[in-house]
């Protein structure tokens, strides 16, 4: 997993709880990297799991709540860091479709070792309702929900987001515009 995910996670923790908390969870997590992340480095995704589990214990907040909050925070950082990927689209549903067909394709060109999820998008019922089927061996469904919420905020869209686990280890997100 790319270092930018870790540096943004630790930035979020620092903003919410201060640097001592960053120090505490790094120490408690016993990380192979030692917690010294650089944005372009690559680290085991299990390190983020350890950090989140320790943050959950320290703050008495459930892991899924933290992961969703992180996804939301991360979207705004990615939007600032890669503004050109977002300027391409205007409509939120078109934008979300482009995560698979354009944004993550460009990310993979920039960072060939990036580990990205797979999205299958369709609009089976209405042009105002997007179905996104998320698949990833890293199972970051909660981060994904947060990223979707962050993009809705960014686009000022008031869509509803529903979630459903599918049989084949995938998660369906249904985003519906009013
Ligand atoms: C400007 C927009 C975006 C950029 C630049 C971007 C870039 C990235 C990068 C660099 C990673 C880390 C890859 C790694 O660690 O190896 C990542 C992971 C991920 N991205 Fe995006 N992304 C964007 C938008 C989105 C949106 C809107 C979604 C959700 C619909 C999304 C879903 C995910 C998920 C769930 C992961 C975690 C890896 C996994 O689940 O396997 N991304 N993205």
């Amino acid at each position: 997993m790319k270092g930018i995910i870790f540096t943004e996670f630790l930035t979020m923790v620092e903003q919410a709880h201060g640097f001592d908390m960053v120090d505490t969870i790094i120490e408690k997590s016993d990380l192979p990297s030692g917690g010294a992340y650089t944005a372009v480095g690559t680290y085991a995704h299990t390190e983020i799991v350890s950090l989140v589990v320790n943050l959950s214990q320290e703050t008495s907040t459930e892991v899924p709540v933290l992961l969703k909050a992180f996804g939301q925070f991360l979207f705004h950082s990615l939007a600032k860091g890669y503004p050109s990927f977002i300027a391409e689209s205007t409509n939120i549903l078109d934008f979300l479709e482009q995560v698979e067909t354009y944004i993550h394709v460009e990310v993979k060109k920039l960072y060939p070792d990036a580990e990205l999820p797979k999205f299958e998008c369709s609009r089976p019922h209405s042009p105002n309702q997007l179905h996104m089927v998320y698949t990833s061996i890293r199972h970051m469904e909660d981060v994904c929900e947060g990223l979707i919420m962050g993009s809705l905020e960014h686009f000022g869209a008031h869509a509803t987001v529903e979630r459903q686990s599918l049989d084949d280890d995938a998660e369906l997100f249904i985003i519906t515009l009013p």
Side-chain angles (χ1 to χ4, degrees):
M1 178 151 271
K2 297 307 296 173
I4 185 173
I5 304 293
F6 294 90
T7 53
E8 287 310 319
F9 178 74
L10 295 178
T11 301
M12 179 187 78
V13 175
E14 189 180 348
Q15 283 178 10
H17 303 286
F19 190 74
D20 285 351
M21 181 65 84
V22 174
D23 229 23
T24 304
I25 61 169
I26 287 177
E27 257 172 46
K28 286 195 151 190
S29 300
D30 192 20
L31 306 162
S33 72
Y37 302 109
T38 66
V40 292
T42 302
Y43 309 89
H45 79 273
T46 46
E47 291 202 7
I48 200 96
V49 178
S50 308
L51 287 164
V52 171
V53 167
N54 281 299
L55 181 65
S56 164
Q57 284 166 5
E58 290 297 314
T59 60
S60 307
T61 310
E62 289 181 13
V63 168
V65 173
L66 293 174
L67 289 175
K68 277 181 228 170
F70 173 51
Q72 210 159 344
F73 179 92
L74 180 62
F75 182 80
H76 294 294
S77 312
L78 292 172
K80 266 189 222 127
Y82 303 88
S84 61
F85 293 168
I86 290 180
E88 296 279 320
S89 24
T90 44
N91 176 285
I92 178 67
L93 299 186
D94 294 346
F95 169 76
L96 288 171
E97 269 182 347
Q98 285 175 11
V99 173
E100 175 74 11
T101 58
Y102 169 62
I103 298 172
H104 281 175
V105 174
E106 294 302 313
V107 169
K108 194 81 185 165
K109 287 183 201 163
L110 289 172
Y111 310 111
D113 59 350
E115 299 171 311
L116 297 159
K118 185 176 89 176
F119 288 105
E120 284 164 297
C121 295
S122 61
R123 303 193 201 194
H125 303 304
S126 150
N128 289 330
Q129 185 183 68
L130 179 67
H131 284 213
M132 293 183 93
V133 177
Y134 164 90
T135 321
S136 168
I137 50 164
R138 287 165 292 284
H139 282 286
M140 302 191 76
E141 292 82 4
D142 292 320
V143 176
C144 188
E145 185 177 330
L147 282 160
I148 293 172
M149 299 314 287
S151 51
L152 290 174
E153 264 172 13
H154 181 90
F155 282 81
H158 297 282
T160 58
V161 180
E162 293 161 83
R163 247 175 95 164
Q164 209 176 301
S165 291
L166 303 179
D167 293 343
D168 52 352
D169 222 14
E171 191 87 354
L172 168 65
F173 290 91
I174 302 175
I175 302 105
T176 312
L177 288 173

